């Protein structure tokens, strides 16, 4: 059973905070969550001299904590034990990574605004530095989660994401779909026909999938879609499949080849995060990767 010992919700005092807190409540309503930390960092380096001169006697942290308390009271209530943490540090990414380690956070909830409202630069940094799995919630997303899409490339990390998605789907009664995006090696054309190349590629991938089913019998029976990348990127094909299938959650496994604080995000998750997806994106690190 999937249970979350501690979850961190990152707030930025913008309009998305209310939806993010309400989504945290929805998570607590469906999964066991022991404690939730609502966090905000006042980036002291960005406070102007004019602000310091005009409002130097204001306890900004207390004011912000009061604002967050109002939002949490209205949109989270007593869904789970929780605590509000407001810090004043020059580097937001570093303090949030420290909080993850200090409170043994297993999942961080991160809001994502549309590209016309934010560059997403801080979000990308957090994805790379936070030593835990991250659930990205786009501001255009809804709370309903019934269909889950998990792309795999047969790596250990994607298989971990698949098994976690299977457990989640069983626990919550969700529909789960697996997909794999493949590319044809262009160097073999025109030596062999495209039709033969496609047939051979699909046979190879199907063999891998059958081997995966033998290794993990619990995934037997899960619908599986094989998609050729063709003239699009893997991330673009995943996004198209999300829309086509009407999925409500995308789960991606993350590789961790580099030591913390530089966990390997990977090109596909990065491209997906920077695109305009409209469903929550669960970026999953295994415990072994974190360690």
């Amino acid at each position: 059973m999937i249970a979350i010992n501690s979850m961190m919700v990152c707030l930025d005092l913008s309009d998305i905070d209310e939806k993010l807190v309400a989504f945290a409540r929805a998570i607590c309503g469906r999964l066991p969550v022991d404690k939730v930390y609502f966090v905000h960092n006042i980036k002291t380096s960005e406070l102007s001299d004019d602000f310091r001169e005009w409002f130097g006697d204001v306890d900004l942290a207390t004011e912000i904590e009061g604002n967050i308390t109002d939002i949490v009271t209205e949109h989270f209530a007593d869904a789970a034990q929780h605590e509000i943490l407001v810090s004043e540090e020059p580097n937001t990414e570093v303090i949030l990574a420290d909080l993850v380690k200090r409170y043994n956070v297993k999942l961080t909830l991160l809001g994502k605004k549309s590209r016309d409202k934010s560059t997403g630069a801080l979000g990308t940094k957090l994805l790379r530095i936070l030593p835990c799995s991250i659930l990205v919630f786009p501001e255009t997303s809804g709370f309903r989660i019934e269909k889950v899409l998990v792309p795999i490339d047969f790596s250990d990390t994607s298989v971990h994401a698949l098994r976690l998605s299977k457990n989640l789907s069983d626990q919550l009664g969700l529909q789960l779909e697996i997909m794999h995006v493949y590319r044809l090696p262009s160097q073999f054309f025109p030596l062999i026909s495209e039709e033969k190349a496609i047939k051979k590629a699909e046979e190879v991938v199907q063999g891998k999938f059958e081997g995966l089913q033998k290794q993990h019998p619990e995934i037997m029976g899960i619908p599986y879609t094989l998609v050729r990348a063709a003239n699009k990127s893997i991330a673009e094909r995943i996004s198209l499949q999300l829309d086509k299938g009407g999925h409500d959650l995308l789960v991606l496994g993350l590789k961790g080849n580099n030591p913390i604080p530089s966990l390997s995000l990977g090109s596909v998750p990065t491209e997906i995060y920077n695109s305009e997806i409209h469903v929550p994106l669960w970026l999953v690190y295994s415990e072994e990767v974190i360690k």
Side-chain angles (χ1 to χ4, degrees):
M1 183 179 77
I2 295 177
I4 303 171
N5 295 333
S6 56
M7 179 170 70
M8 183 169 75
V9 182
C10 300
L11 305 176
D12 66 357
L13 309 183
S14 69
D15 293 341
I16 199 174
D17 282 359
E18 293 186 1
K19 286 196 71 175
L20 207 58
V21 172
F23 186 57
R25 177 172 183 165
I27 293 173
C28 293
R30 303 189 73 177
L31 293 174
V33 180
D34 289 343
K35 189 165 185 178
V36 179
Y37 296 94
F38 296 99
V39 304
H40 175 78
N41 179 58
I42 305 168
K43 200 167 183 179
T44 54
S45 59
E46 294 183 353
L47 295 179
S48 67
D49 293 336
D50 287 342
F51 182 92
R52 297 175 189 277
E53 182 179 350
W54 296 341
F55 304 102
D57 58 341
V58 174
D59 187 343
L60 196 55
T62 300
E63 293 291 332
I64 290 175
E65 183 175 343
N67 178 270
I68 294 175
T69 298
D70 291 341
I71 295 174
V72 171
T73 299
E74 180 178 355
H75 297 282
F76 190 79
D78 57 353
Q81 184 181 0
H82 61 273
E83 186 175 346
I84 296 171
L85 303 173
V86 177
S87 57
E88 298 183 56
E89 298 292 340
N91 191 308
T92 298
E93 310 94 83
V94 171
I95 186 61
L96 293 182
D98 179 68
L99 291 176
V100 168
K101 298 172 187 176
R102 189 186 312 172
Y103 296 107
N104 196 26
V105 170
K106 299 300 183 184
L107 178 67
T108 290
L109 182 55
L110 182 66
K112 183 178 183 295
K113 301 172 187 174
S114 56
R115 278 182 291 195
D116 61 338
K117 295 181 180 179
S118 171
T119 63
L122 176 59
T124 302
K125 290 180 182 179
L126 291 177
L127 296 186
R128 293 185 182 280
I129 199 172
L130 294 185
C132 67
S133 297
I134 299 173
L135 182 56
V136 179
F137 183 79
E139 65 176 346
T140 55
S141 177
F143 293 173
R144 185 196 69 168
I145 294 180
E146 295 179 356
K147 297 185 67 177
V148 181
L149 179 65
V150 52
I152 64 171
D153 60 5
F154 301 101
S155 64
D156 290 343
T157 50
S158 72
V159 172
H160 171 74
L162 171 57
R163 298 181 69 192
L164 192 69
S165 300
K166 178 64 168 64
N167 290 339
L168 181 71
S169 300
D170 290 346
Q171 189 171 335
L172 302 182
L174 309 177
Q175 299 177 52
L176 178 61
E177 179 186 347
I178 304 170
M179 79 172 293
H180 174 76
V181 183
Y182 71 93
R183 291 188 180 280
L184 295 180
S186 59
Q187 63 266 32
F188 296 118
F189 300 115
L191 299 177
I192 58 175
S193 70
E194 183 174 343
E195 182 180 351
K196 287 183 178 179
I198 292 174
K199 182 179 179 181
K200 182 60 177 178
E202 293 186 351
E203 287 176 354
V204 170
V205 174
Q206 185 61 36
K208 288 184 178 181
F209 188 61
E210 290 173 358
L212 185 63
Q213 288 176 318
K214 291 179 181 179
Q215 188 176 1
H216 302 285
E218 68 273 15
I219 70 171
M220 291 286 292
I222 300 175
Y224 175 76
T225 301
L226 181 60
V227 179
R228 180 186 170 191
N231 60 341
K232 296 188 180 297
S233 69
I234 292 175
E236 287 173 329
R237 286 297 177 191
I238 292 172
S239 296
L240 288 172
Q241 189 67 21
L242 273 177
D243 295 336
K244 179 181 178 181
H247 300 90
D248 311 304
L249 176 66
L250 175 63
V251 183
L252 292 176
L254 298 181
K255 298 177 176 63
N257 298 324
N258 300 326
I260 293 174
S262 183
L263 289 170
S264 178
L265 182 56
S267 60
V268 173
T270 300
E271 187 176 344
I272 289 286
Y273 175 78
N274 289 325
S275 68
E276 290 285 0
I277 64 169
H278 304 290
V279 302
L281 168 63
W282 192 3
L283 300 169
V284 179
Y285 281 118
S286 68
E287 288 295 322
E288 288 74 17
V289 166
I290 296 299
K291 290 176 182 178

